Amino acid sequence: MADRSEVAYTTAGGNDYPAHEQTYEGFIMLVKYGTATVALVLILMAFFLT
């Protein structure tokens, strides 16, 4: 059996955590504004199409 006590991604060299965090923050911002945009479109459709 292999010794699996050490997780590879935490010890791997070359991990760029600042870039990872920047990408994650961009994704969260996209989801937030995308959700708000879809909600606004639905509200406007409900108002103008009824």
Side-chain angles (χ1 to χ4, degrees), residues 16-45:
D16 192 3
Y17 288 111
H20 167 73
E21 290 176 353
Q22 183 181 8
T23 302
Y24 181 73
E25 288 174 5
F27 171 74
I28 294 299
M29 185 173 49
L30 176 68
V31 169
K32 182 172 48 176
Y33 289 120
T35 302
T37 301
V38 169
L40 178 64
V41 167
L42 288 173
I43 290 168
L44 291 173
M45 285 174 63

Side-chain angles (χ1 to χ4, degrees), residues 5-17:
S5 63
E6 192 172 334
V7 180
Y9 63 84
T10 59
T11 59
N15 287 338
D16 192 3
Y17 288 111

